[in-house]
Amino acid sequence: MDKRSIQSELSSYIGKLLRDNFGKGPSSVFVSIEEPYITIYLKGFLAPMEKVLVNQNNTSNVEETRDLLMQELIPDIKATLRAVAGIEIESLYYDWSLSNRSGMIVGIMNVSPMLDENNENYEQKQTVHDEIEKISRHAEKAPEMIRSFLLNNRTLIIERQGIFVAIEKEMIRLGFQEHLKIAKRHLEKRLLHLSSFESILQTRIEDVFLDWDFNLDRSYIIFIFKPTDMKT
């Protein structure tokens, strides 16, 4: 099966899986495979009851419920990626943009990176890293390591390692991961939306997603750009 057919089959599977478990599936699912990443971008994804809660400014309740459901679905998603595409997933990350009715699932493959030099060394890379470091200092501390990859003209993925401060590590140790995740989502997204990335990258940003692996002290930020040509 070629890459396009795999992406199409995975798109149908994810749409059905979310519809069966959330009561409403996304209107569109875009799957992209660029080793070592698989990105699944969801649009038109907000159930009627979730819409009521969002309108009542109860977004944290929606996020918490979705996170609990996703934890149950991760083994199924990994198994299907293995069966359909022969892809072994090391870890899965996910996030939601409830105001945009969108979402992102990112799988990290258990393979050596296959991205070419153009993906990693895009023109604005150092300036992007400087801005990420500044935002991280406001939210927690400067990362010990930053990597970023321009997967395509609409998707930039940024990895940070070594960002948690002592109080966050203690909350993780005490079992408050979900409360910490929701608080960090809201804080860091505010900072990212106030940042200079659109000016730096000379493009409009359509969506921003982020998630963390609390055990590994690792985070991923994903920018989705509006569908225009990006200068590189």
Side-chain angles (χ1 to χ4, degrees):
M1 191 183 297
D2 62 28
K3 185 175 179 180
R4 182 169 294 183
S5 298
I6 290 172
Q7 291 176 165
S8 177
E9 185 165 344
L10 291 175
S11 175
S12 297
Y13 157 73
I14 290 293
K16 183 178 186 303
L17 180 73
L18 296 179
R19 183 169 60 252
D20 290 346
N21 287 274
F22 285 83
K24 180 187 182 300
S27 59
S28 304
V29 180
F30 302 95
V31 177
S32 177
I33 301 173
E34 297 289 345
E35 292 187 8
Y37 303 109
I38 176 168
T39 60
I40 304 169
Y41 181 38
L42 315 170
K43 299 197 73 174
F45 184 41
L46 193 68
M49 181 56 71
E50 292 177 328
K51 183 179 179 180
V52 171
L53 291 170
V54 170
N55 289 339
Q56 293 177 349
N57 203 29
N58 287 325
T59 57
S60 294
N61 291 337
V62 178
E63 292 178 60
E64 187 171 355
T65 302
R66 284 191 174 193
D67 287 349
L68 289 171
L69 274 170
M70 283 300 297
Q71 287 300 315
E72 295 294 319
L73 298 180
I74 282 175
D76 193 344
I77 294 172
K78 286 184 175 181
T80 300
L81 289 170
R82 186 185 307 115
V84 171
I87 295 173
E88 292 288 344
I89 294 295
E90 181 180 281
S91 52
L92 273 175
Y93 298 81
Y94 50 87
D95 187 24
W96 324 105
S97 177
L98 298 177
S99 59
N100 288 346
R101 303 185 183 186
S102 57
M104 173 64 71
I105 302 170
V106 177
I108 313 300
M109 302 181 200
N110 191 17
V111 296
S112 299
M114 297 293 289
L115 295 168
D116 62 33
E117 187 175 319
N118 292 330
N119 293 106
E120 187 170 4
N121 295 321
Y122 57 96
E123 183 180 339
Q124 307 93 336
K125 178 179 177 180
Q126 188 55 55
T127 311
V128 166
H129 288 198
D130 291 343
E131 188 75 359
I132 287 292
E133 181 173 340
K134 182 173 73 173
I135 288 170
S136 298
R137 285 183 186 277
H138 280 293
E140 52 269 312
K141 70 183 184 70
E144 295 171 8
M145 187 274 284
I146 302 173
R147 299 169 66 204
S148 63
F149 301 93
L150 186 64
L151 300 186
N152 51 59
N153 65 352
R154 291 200 62 197
T155 311
L156 177 68
I157 186 165
I158 301 164
E159 177 187 347
R160 298 177 294 171
Q161 290 192 17
I163 56 173
F164 297 140
V165 296
I167 186 63
E168 293 174 320
K169 292 178 180 178
E170 186 64 13
M171 288 183 70
I172 294 165
R173 189 186 70 81
L174 293 173
F176 293 105
Q177 291 97 329
E178 183 61 24
H179 294 291
L180 179 61
K181 176 182 282 193
I182 291 173
K184 287 176 70 62
R185 266 183 189 151
H186 291 200
L187 170 61
E188 292 202 40
K189 281 188 178 180
R190 280 201 305 272
L191 295 172
L192 288 165
H193 284 300
L194 292 170
S195 68
S196 303
F197 285 110
E198 289 193 335
S199 175
I200 293 168
L201 294 163
Q202 301 177 46
T203 191
R204 296 290 303 279
I205 294 172
E206 182 172 335
D207 263 319
V208 179
F209 303 101
L210 65 161
D211 197 8
W212 300 263
D213 186 318
F214 291 125
N215 294 322
L216 296 178
D217 198 348
R218 178 183 297 165
S219 169
Y220 285 94
I221 299 170
I222 299 93
F223 288 121
I224 300 295
F225 305 122
K226 287 188 178 296
T228 56
D229 291 333
M230 178 179 169
K231 298 178 182 179
T232 57

